Each structure stands twice: as C-alpha cells, then as structure tokens.
C-alpha cells in the first residue's frame, strides 16, 4: 500500500462503535472484495472493501473479519482471517500480510490463516444466535455481479438455516457518515494532494492543450504524493462543461472556453472531491465571470448553511431558492417562472439539475441516510452549478466540508476559488 502507516486506533475505535450497536450474542462478518477479471487472464486493480478497511485497515484480497463481542472465549471476540503467504504467491504477487503485520495494521490480536475459517466459523456460529452479514445497500447502487459478501450470505444461510440473519449495512452507514478525527486527518491529506494537483493545472492550462494532457498533469501530482484518482476524472472544455458525467477527456482546450475539472485524489482510501472551473486563456469573459460569481455565491451560502441539525433536503431547497435568485439576476429566469414553479421541481433545475452535495469518505458518494439531520463529523461535498449549453459553457464549483458544533469547516479553504485569484495565478 502506498499510504503511510495508519494508527490502528482508527480501526479499533470503529470496531468499538459497531459492536456497541450489535444485538446480544450476535456476530458480524465482513468480506474483502473480489479481484475482478479483465477479458482474458488479466485482473482489474482491486477496490479495497470500504467496510473491511473501516473496521480493520486491511486492503488485501480474500480477507475476512469476524466480530463476536459476546463470545465466551475472549480471544474469539475479534478475529481476522488472511491468506497464508507461500512461495508461489511470493514469486507471482510478492508481499502478502504476515500475521504480525496484519495484527499491527488492524490492532486485532487474533489473526488466523484463511484455511482455518470454516472450522472456527462453525464453532462461532454454534455459539451465536444471530449473524450480521454485509451487503451493498446504497440506494442508487446498481449491482449486477455477485459479490463475495453475497456469496457468503447464501453459503451461511445454507449451512445454518435456523439462525437469525441481520443487516450489517444500516449499522455501518450510520457509523461511516460521522467521521472520527483520525479519519478527518486522512481526508485532509487527500484534499491536500488534490489542491496541489489543481494548482499545477493553473500553471499548465492554456489554449491548445488537450483535456487528456491536463489529466496527465493531475495524475503525476497525485501519484507522486501517494494518492490516486478518487474517481474517473472529468476534464471538460467548452460546451462539455455542461455534460455532467463527461469522461472522454479527448478534446483540445480553446481560447475563450472554460475548463471544468471535477478531479480529486484519494489517500489511504479516503476520497476528496473537487470541482473548479477555470478560463482556458487565463481570463474570464464578463458573462462567464457573472455566472461564475453566481455559482460561488450559492456555494458560499450553502457551506454556511450546512449546520448541525439541518436536513439534507432543506439544505438543498435553500440552495435552489438561492440559485433562482441568482438566475433572475443573470436574466436566465423571469419572476413569473419562479412564482408559478412546482416546489418539487423548482425553476432553477433547468440550469442546476443535480444534487447540491453528498456524504464523502471511503466512498465518493459515501454511505449515510440522507433523512438523518447533519451531525458533528458529517463530511459533505457542496457542489452547485449553472449550465448554459446555449452559451457554450457551464460552471460548477465543489468544496468538501465538515459539519461541526462550531459551524462548517471548509477542508478546501486553501484551494483557489475567487475568479481574480484564479486569473492572477494563471497569468503569473
Ligand atoms: N465527482 C463526483 C461528484 O462530484 O459527485
Ligand atoms: Mn466531484
Ligand atoms: Mn461530488
């Protein structure tokens, strides 16, 4: 792994938070993600399982975590299973965790080889009354492949048909949406790497550079700082500013266009999520600047409005009302349109059609129930936009914030955002 060692306290705290929520005499199991195949004998880079990482710091394939807080034998309350390293693995894949390494990373004393799992798990199940098993319960997820966790659920239900099975996902969602201080430190590192990448693009972008060349500059900065793209980067010039999920990054940036970059780094599996929109030639036109400042006004007000106790849907409504006002000032909406708008489909949606923000963490669109009011430690993106395909440009700005008792803290406060500051850096 490229990140520096992480204090195992981060993971042991999370295990403590989870086991405090579990029913008596219940155990919980979390599996690693599968290594997915390419078309032939290749494999895709493995995406570490976010829940397994959250609870153990383990990223290695085929690992299994079992938590059984009421186990009679104290040694069986936390067990981590990892692949046993062997000569063949060493030759082809290199390093795999030894038991002492896995102990050090996770803070779990009882580390076993994976081959021991069936026997140990059977004895634990005979002692347990119920089992929390994990599955992807993200509302908008569309999963066509059978994950390791899903195969495990089927196997468990076949082997132990009379146990009570419980859903682990709601407990984990509730915990993961509130970040601990140690998690926020890692998010800050991701933001810091992202900021350095963005500053690099300010010196690099000019008419004639291709979108993929900008992507390459960002990759260089992220990777050399132990990061990697948190999601497929969007580097979109001109009218492609308005394509919300633009991924081609194959056009050349032209004079007079804006370049929208929705690009960020992750660090130690924690993701930043940044969007900036900059003028390709280093100077906004008057119209571009007006629209830019309208979006910036909504961003700033929305950051200020992300306070403890607020509901996501009210936060979004406030931003939509504010965007309506800005669109009136820009002459893009007429007062009558706002007056007769459907409150569930406000007039601004013609120009600002996506959500205002989302929880951020080990997943970019992180887990967490949006019907629960913001709590201290909630990390959110704030990403208003105004898209004007008829005028050949659009603007989105996106910062990451932490909701605290003392108000919102902008993790991206140091990433240039004022139009004048962007112009002055680009023209240095
Ligand atoms: N980069 C993905 C998003 O902004 O939600
Ligand atoms: Mn983004
Ligand atoms: Mn986002």
């Amino acid at each position: 792994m490229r990140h520096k060692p992480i204090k195992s306290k981060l993971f042991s705290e999370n295990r403590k938070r989870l086991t405090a929520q579990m029913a008596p005499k219940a155990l919980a199991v979390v599996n690693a993600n599968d290594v997915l195949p390419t078309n032939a004998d290749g494999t895709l880079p493995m995406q570490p399982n976010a829940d397994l990482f959250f609870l153990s710091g383990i990223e290695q394939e085929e690992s299994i975590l079992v938590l059984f807080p009421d186990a009679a034998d104290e040694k069986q309350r936390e067990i981590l299973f990892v692949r046993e390293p062997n000569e063949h693995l060493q030759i082809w894949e290199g390093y795999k965790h030894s038991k002492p390494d896995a102990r050090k990373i996770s803070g779990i004393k009882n580390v076993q080889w994976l081959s021991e799992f069936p026997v140990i798990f059977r004895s634990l199940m005979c002692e347990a009354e119920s089992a929390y098993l994990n599955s992807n319960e993200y509302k908008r997820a569309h999963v066509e492949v059978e994950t390791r966790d899903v195969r495990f659920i089927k196997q468990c239900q076949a082997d132990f048909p009379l146990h009570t099975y419980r859903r682990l996902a709601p407990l984990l969602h509730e915990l993961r949406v509130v970040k601990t201080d140690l998690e926020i430190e890692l998010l800050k590192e991701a933001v810091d790497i992202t900021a350095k990448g963005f500053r690099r693009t300010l010196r690099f972008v000019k008419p004639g550079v291709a979108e993929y060349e900008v992507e390459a500059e960002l990759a260089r900065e992220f990777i050399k700082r132990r990061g990697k793209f948190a999601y497929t980067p969007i580097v979109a010039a001109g009218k492609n500013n308005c394509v919300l999920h633009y991924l081609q990054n194959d056009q050349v940036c032209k004079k007079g266009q804006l370049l929208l970059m929705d690009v960020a780094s992750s660090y130690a599996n924690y993701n930043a999520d940044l969007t900036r929109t900059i003028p390709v030639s280093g100077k906004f036109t008057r119209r571009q600047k007006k629209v830019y400042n309208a979006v910036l006004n909504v961003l700033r007000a929305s950051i200020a409005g992300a306070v403890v106790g607020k509901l996501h849907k009210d936060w979004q409504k406030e931003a939509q009302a504010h965007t309506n006002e800005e669109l009136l000032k820009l002459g893009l909406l007429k007062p009558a349109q706002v007056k007769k708008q459907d409150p569930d489909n406000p007039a601004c949606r013609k120009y600002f059609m996506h959500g205002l923000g989302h929880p951020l963490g080990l997943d970019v669109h992180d887990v967490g129930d949006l019907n629960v009011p913001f709590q201290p430690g909630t990390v959110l993106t704030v990403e208003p936009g105004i898209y004007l395909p008829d005028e050949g440009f659009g603007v989105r700005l996106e910062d990451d914030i932490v909701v605290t008792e003392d108000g919102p803290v902008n993790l991206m406060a140091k990433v240039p955002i004022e139009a004048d500051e962007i112009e002055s850096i680009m023209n240095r």
Side-chain angles (χ1 to χ4, degrees):
M1 56 213 168
R2 289 190 187 157
H3 57 80
K4 295 184 189 148
I6 299 168
K7 289 189 187 113
S8 63
K9 186 163 174 253
L10 188 156
F11 313 113
S12 58
E13 266 183 11
N14 289 340
R15 291 195 293 277
K16 219 196 249 163
R17 289 162 76 202
L18 174 63
T19 50
Q21 305 290 323
M22 286 166 58
K25 298 211 78 178
L27 58 75
V29 184
V30 181
N31 280 278
N33 282 343
D34 276 319
V35 178
L36 298 173
T38 60
N39 299 300
D41 66 348
T43 53
L44 296 171
M46 197 200 49
Q47 180 70 23
N49 183 286
D51 294 322
L52 180 66
F53 184 81
F54 178 77
L55 295 169
S56 70
I58 294 294
E59 295 161 82
Q60 186 169 287
E61 70 287 347
E62 296 183 30
S63 308
I64 309 177
L65 172 68
V66 181
L67 299 175
F68 188 6
D70 294 339
D73 179 352
E74 204 182 315
K75 290 196 291 299
Q76 296 197 315
R77 294 185 184 162
E78 296 185 333
I79 314 179
L80 179 63
F81 296 86
V82 294
R83 305 174 82 178
E84 184 169 11
N86 60 45
E87 202 180 333
H88 176 85
L89 273 177
Q90 174 59 38
I91 289 168
W92 288 88
E93 297 182 26
Y95 170 82
K96 299 288 166 192
H97 293 314
S98 66
K99 286 187 181 179
D101 284 347
R103 248 174 235 134
K104 191 160 175 217
I105 292 167
S106 63
I108 295 172
K109 291 197 192 83
N110 190 354
V111 177
Q112 299 288 338
W113 299 133
L114 192 57
S115 52
E116 305 292 332
F117 181 81
V119 170
I120 296 177
F121 187 63
R122 166 158 281 277
S123 95
L124 296 178
M125 277 301 265
C126 293
E127 189 182 331
E129 277 167 13
S130 66
Y132 286 88
L133 302 183
N134 206 15
S135 65
N136 182 337
E137 295 193 24
Y138 192 91
K139 273 187 190 160
R140 287 200 309 260
H142 178 73
V143 186
E144 286 193 17
V145 294
E146 195 170 52
T147 62
R148 238 178 148 71
D149 270 321
V150 169
R151 293 200 301 279
F152 184 74
I153 291 169
K154 288 184 179 169
Q155 188 63 50
C156 254
Q157 286 176 328
D159 293 348
F160 307 99
L162 298 181
H163 276 69
T164 301
Y165 290 98
R166 301 172 188 271
R167 294 154 59 211
L168 186 58
L171 300 189
L172 285 170
H173 290 198
E174 206 180 305
L175 297 178
R176 278 178 52 190
V177 78
V178 176
K179 272 68 181 178
T180 61
D181 291 346
L182 288 168
E183 290 184 284
I184 288 171
E185 287 311 307
L186 298 178
L187 278 163
K188 282 184 176 164
E189 185 63 32
V191 165
D192 193 45
I193 296 169
T194 302
K196 292 194 165 91
F198 174 63
R199 282 185 179 274
R200 188 179 182 91
T201 67
L202 289 179
R203 300 190 301 270
F204 179 78
V205 170
K206 57 174 189 285
V209 305
E211 293 164 351
Y212 51 81
E213 292 180 277
V214 179
E215 180 179 332
E217 294 296 308
L218 287 153
R220 178 185 195 279
E221 201 68 40
F222 292 175
I223 293 168
K224 94 173 172 193
R225 298 181 189 284
R226 301 170 181 251
K228 64 175 182 190
F229 286 122
Y231 47 89
T232 312
I234 298 173
V235 184
K239 64 180 187 333
N240 287 327
N241 300 164
C242 304
V243 180
L244 299 179
H245 290 164
Y246 179 75
L247 302 174
Q248 290 83 354
N249 301 353
D250 60 357
Q251 299 297 302
V252 171
C253 303
K254 300 199 183 77
K255 187 170 168 237
Q257 289 182 330
L258 294 184
L259 182 67
L260 184 152
M261 294 177 284
D262 186 342
V263 184
S265 182
S266 65
Y267 176 77
N269 299 307
Y270 283 86
N271 300 292
D273 190 0
L274 173 80
T275 308
R276 287 292 184 267
T277 309
I278 66 171
V280 168
S281 35
K283 186 136 183 62
F284 291 95
T285 65
R286 275 177 57 177
R287 176 68 173 168
Q288 287 167 347
K289 197 178 268 190
K290 273 194 180 154
V291 175
Y292 187 95
N293 284 331
V295 176
L296 184 55
N297 290 341
V298 178
L299 177 90
R300 293 219 160 116
S302 302
I303 291 174
V307 294
V308 171
K310 186 162 294 180
L311 279 171
H312 197 281
K313 68 169 195 272
D314 294 335
W315 182 55
Q316 165 114 7
K317 274 202 184 118
E318 287 164 16
Q320 288 169 329
H322 189 167
T323 306
N324 275 351
E325 282 169 35
E326 297 290 344
L327 290 168
L328 287 167
K329 282 192 259 168
L330 290 168
L332 289 161
L333 286 182
K334 299 209 165 62
Q337 286 173 286
V338 175
K339 220 172 187 177
K340 64 168 204 273
Q341 74 180 6
D342 169 0
D344 292 330
N345 187 23
C348 68
R349 281 186 61 96
K350 181 173 176 204
Y351 303 103
F352 171 33
M353 58 296 278
H354 56 75
L356 174 63
H358 50 84
L360 179 73
L362 286 170
D363 284 287
V364 178
H365 291 180
D366 209 16
V367 295
D369 182 352
L370 294 187
N371 296 316
V372 173
F374 297 158
Q375 309 165 66
T378 301
V379 173
L380 292 167
T381 68
V382 189
E383 47 185 305
I386 293 178
Y387 306 93
L388 307 174
D390 293 346
E391 299 186 39
F393 73 96
V395 175
R396 175 164 71 256
L397 298 170
E398 178 174 25
D399 276 351
D400 304 338
I401 63 164
V402 191
V403 177
T404 77
E405 291 285 9
D406 302 324
V409 174
N410 189 349
L411 297 174
M412 291 186 158
K414 288 195 187 140
V415 185
I417 196 162
E418 284 286 348
D420 293 347
E421 191 187 1
I422 302 258
E423 287 181 342
S424 103
I425 300 173
M426 290 185 80
N427 289 296
R428 233 173 246 166

